[in-house]
Amino acid sequence: MKTYLSDASESTARRKFLTGMAATTGAVAMGHTPFALAQQTALASSNKGMVTSPHTLATEAGLKVLREGGNAIEATIAMGAVIAVTYPHFCGIGGDAVWIVADREGRKTTLMGIGQAAEKPPAYAGSIPLRGAGSTVTSACTVDTWNRAQEFSKKHWGGKRSFASLLGDAIGYAEGGFPTTASQVYWHNARKDEVANWHGFTKVFMPNGKIPLVGETFKQPELARSLKLIANNGPRDFYEGELAAQIAKGLQAAGSPLTQSDLKKTVAKEAAPLTLDYRGLTLLAPPSPTQGVTTLEIMGMLREFDLKNVQEGSADHYHLCVEAVKQAFLDRPGIADPDFVTQAVNVWLSKEHLARKAAAIDKNRALPWPHVFKTGDTVYIGATDSEGRSVSILQSIFFDWGSGVVVGDTGIIWQNRGAGFSVDPKSPNVIQPGKRPFYTLTPGMALKDNKPHILYGTQGADGQPQTLSVVLTRLIDYKLDPLQALSRPRFLLGKTFSDSRDSLKLERNAGADVFAELARRGHEMSPIDSNSPLGGQAGAIVIDAAGGITGAHDPRSDGAAMGV
């Protein structure tokens, strides 16, 4: 593998070339840096396979699988298990996952690991709570996506790795500990005034009653025992076995409406991905109830503009992306579980609709932003192997720290995805027994000549399609490498936990001239730090026609891309 180190805030002319660097050495150089201080990351290159994740230990686990002859799905399961341990504030086995899987043989599918609402959801008075037992109204499907993905791996890709072998590193880090990341500490401090009221939280996540320090060894012995049950008894133990009984008991004790029957009914669904042609590529996105269609709508509108004549990183570039986001978000309230609600996805993605939407964009004036902000956090994982078999996945517990509820003595923090439901009976997303909520997870993949070409995705809830608009235009229209595309300034529209204004939040290193011009066009501007956590944590892998692979993970994260 060749590794390039680059200052994320400076010109790529300063890139230094290092040879003979082992993957573990790269991990030391790249990992565990505070958000605003994450000035160095790496552009990895290979022709034998690559993995990327927001935590170097997870990336190393996937890399090891590839080196031992495993395929991209097997590497992804190993990474997904480790990241569920080492990034507990963003994801875990008490959450969900959405996968896109494709290969050079033309196979392409999604695994929709979205937990369904309880058989007997509470009768909510007003809105669904954002935290606590009232928000634990949907089951968790991440573990069953690992199960279904492994079945796909064995059937189509000749996968031979046992489930237990793929969880070994995750169990080791849960049992023996790992260095606490800056990201975990940041989000713990952000919620320090709330956590005392979260069921079982402080016992697990505040050893000795204190928030761990960055770099301090953090252990999760109860989670290790849960992962061992999954490894020894198989993934369905989470839903039907010994672990399921422990989970159901813990949920009941916390006051959750979920039962063991709800767990048993939880299965990941395979579905065809949504597609959009963009500059000769086929973009893939997961179908409803995710906002995958929103990402494709944004790109479909941007397709109508000649971005070759628009300078990358200019006010024009940001304005077009922002206004395309706004137009797409006007359709987004119609997204819901397709098993319950018919929706106009084909209309939204039609050439006529996208052309009308693009024509509605005023190049000189901002459209008001009237939408309710939804927070949310997740992790992006990507993998491709020597045969071009590729995976793009997001794992999530919805908000940072999910519901805040730790389930019994399992060490599992449960998601609060049920808070994404509505209680309005007229809403397509109204809560109903067995229904899946509107979903922000939108991993993506671009095919070239029906073969995987770009793997991409990001953390960030409402910000996911927004971040992808600039990342994808930089990768496709402006031909930037993954490190360049991920390092440059990004924006976020709408409210955040720290800023209640419906403003356009843009990283300061976009430049004073850009801020002034966007303000002139009517955008309410709010500068945020360069490499801000509000910019999301994205990852990207690009596979060229000759089989060469380049990749990177976000300088805003604690992770890296690594090649075989």
Side-chain angles (χ1 to χ4, degrees):
M1 182 188 83
K2 296 178 180 179
T3 305
Y4 300 81
L5 290 185
S6 175
D7 187 324
S9 66
E10 298 292 336
S11 165
T12 57
R14 297 182 58 191
R15 187 175 300 156
K16 298 177 181 178
F17 179 51
L18 302 179
T19 57
M21 177 180 284
T24 52
T25 304
V28 172
M30 295 175 278
H32 315 307
T33 49
F35 288 107
L37 301 179
Q39 294 299 303
Q40 289 193 327
T41 186
L43 176 70
S45 64
S46 173
N47 59 6
K48 295 182 180 178
M50 186 170 291
V51 289
T52 188
S53 87
H55 197 290
T56 52
L57 294 179
T59 303
E60 288 171 352
L63 183 69
K64 183 171 71 172
V65 171
L66 291 185
R67 283 179 168 165
E68 293 171 350
N71 62 44
I73 283 177
E74 293 167 330
T76 300
I77 293 171
M79 286 193 290
V82 170
I83 204 76
V85 173
T86 60
Y87 248 41
H89 51 300
F90 279 2
C91 76
I93 59 175
D96 288 341
V98 175
W99 294 53
I100 295 180
V101 178
D103 59 27
R104 292 174 182 168
E105 306 305 314
R107 299 183 190 92
K108 51 184 181 290
T109 191
T110 67
L111 293 176
M112 307 291 284
I114 301 175
Q116 79 285 354
E119 294 173 343
K120 297 179 180 180
Y124 292 104
S127 61
I128 297 172
L130 300 180
R131 305 280 192 180
S135 69
T136 62
V137 72
T138 62
S139 58
C141 204
T142 286
V143 174
D144 198 59
T145 66
W146 299 349
N147 178 44
R148 293 292 299 272
Q150 189 190 43
E151 292 174 353
F152 185 100
S153 164
K154 290 180 176 179
K155 181 178 180 180
H156 298 294
W157 293 357
K160 297 179 181 179
R161 292 292 296 263
S162 70
F163 204 81
S165 74
L166 297 176
L167 266 59
D169 285 343
I171 292 168
Y173 291 129
E175 204 164 40
F178 61 92
T180 304
T181 63
S183 178
Q184 180 175 335
V185 173
Y186 177 94
W187 288 104
H188 204 147
N189 280 316
R191 307 301 181 190
K192 63 184 179 182
D193 296 333
E194 305 171 48
V195 299
N197 298 319
W198 294 355
H199 181 92
F201 182 90
T202 55
K203 174 189 172 185
V204 173
F205 294 104
M206 295 180 66
N208 303 314
K210 298 179 181 179
I211 298 173
L213 301 174
V214 175
E216 183 178 344
T217 300
F218 182 69
K219 299 179 181 181
Q220 299 172 85
E222 293 178 338
L223 181 59
R225 290 196 294 271
S226 295
L227 289 168
K228 286 179 181 178
L229 286 174
I230 296 170
N232 295 333
N233 301 337
R236 288 303 300 176
D237 196 74
F238 187 96
Y239 304 98
E240 303 176 47
E242 181 180 349
L243 181 55
Q246 294 178 19
I247 292 171
K249 181 180 178 181
L251 286 168
Q252 182 181 17
S256 171
L258 292 169
T259 65
Q260 195 159 353
S261 175
D262 291 313
L263 295 175
K264 188 174 183 178
K265 291 179 180 179
T266 304
V267 292
K269 298 183 179 183
E270 191 170 345
L274 302 177
T275 63
L276 178 87
D277 292 333
Y278 186 84
R279 317 291 195 211
L281 303 178
T282 302
L283 305 185
L284 306 182
S288 299
T290 80
Q291 61 177 343
V293 63
T294 303
T295 299
L296 296 187
E297 277 195 81
I298 292 166
M299 299 310 296
M301 283 177 249
L302 293 175
R303 183 179 61 189
E304 299 295 313
F305 297 92
D306 183 8
L307 295 186
K308 290 181 181 179
N309 291 320
V310 176
Q311 181 182 352
E312 185 276 322
S314 65
D316 287 337
H317 181 206
Y318 288 117
H319 180 78
L320 287 175
C321 289
V322 167
E323 295 307 298
V325 166
K326 292 175 181 177
Q327 290 292 331
F329 271 50
L330 293 173
D331 291 332
R332 202 176 68 146
I335 298 173
D337 188 339
D339 293 342
F340 285 75
V341 179
T342 300
Q343 49 218 282
V345 174
N346 291 336
V347 173
W348 295 337
L349 293 180
S350 68
K351 291 182 179 179
E352 297 78 12
H353 182 75
L354 294 173
R356 284 194 299 270
K357 286 278 190 178
I361 293 174
D362 186 334
K363 293 182 180 180
N364 296 304
R365 198 69 192 164
L367 184 74
W369 179 246
H371 304 289
V372 176
F373 173 75
K374 296 182 179 66
T375 187
D377 288 296
T378 181
V379 296
Y380 174 72
I381 300 168
T384 188
D385 59 32
S386 59
E387 301 297 321
R389 299 169 297 200
S390 300
V391 177
S392 191
I393 167 182
L394 287 165
Q395 288 186 177
S396 175
I397 52 172
F398 198 24
F399 284 24
D400 55 280
W401 303 111
S403 66
V405 172
V406 175
V407 180
D409 59 0
T410 66
I412 299 169
I413 191 163
W414 208 260
Q415 67 179 0
N416 61 334
R417 188 62 65 167
F421 277 121
S422 172
V423 295
D424 181 356
K426 296 180 181 179
S427 170
N429 197 41
V430 64
I431 188 168
Q432 295 175 258
K435 188 176 183 179
R436 296 172 296 169
F438 166 78
Y439 229 74
T440 55
L441 299 191
T442 54
M445 192 179 298
L447 307 182
K448 187 174 184 178
D449 299 326
N450 210 31
K451 299 174 183 178
H453 175 49
I454 307 175
L455 319 181
Y456 54 87
T458 184
Q459 168 262 352
D462 278 1
Q464 289 185 32
Q466 302 184 41
T467 293
L468 292 179
S469 70
V470 287
V471 169
L472 286 175
T473 53
R474 285 167 173 159
L475 287 169
I476 299 171
D477 293 279
Y478 299 112
K479 311 298 182 187
L480 303 188
D481 67 40
L483 176 57
Q484 294 170 320
L486 298 178
S487 298
R488 297 196 179 181
R490 299 208 285 257
F491 66 85
L492 178 66
L493 279 164
K495 296 180 176 70
T496 70
F497 75 91
S498 60
D499 187 341
S500 61
R501 292 173 295 167
D502 281 317
S503 57
L504 175 58
K505 293 150 182 70
L506 181 63
E507 292 180 326
R508 284 188 172 87
N509 53 334
D513 291 347
V514 170
F515 273 86
E517 176 57 25
L518 290 172
R520 187 193 67 79
R521 298 185 195 190
H523 297 278
E524 182 185 356
M525 302 302 298
S526 296
I528 56 177
D529 290 339
S530 302
N531 290 334
S532 168
L534 297 179
Q537 294 184 14
I541 294 174
V542 177
I543 309 159
D544 65 30
I549 309 166
T550 56
H553 215 87
D554 211 305
R556 299 161 185 82
S557 76
D558 298 276
M562 296 180 184
V564 179

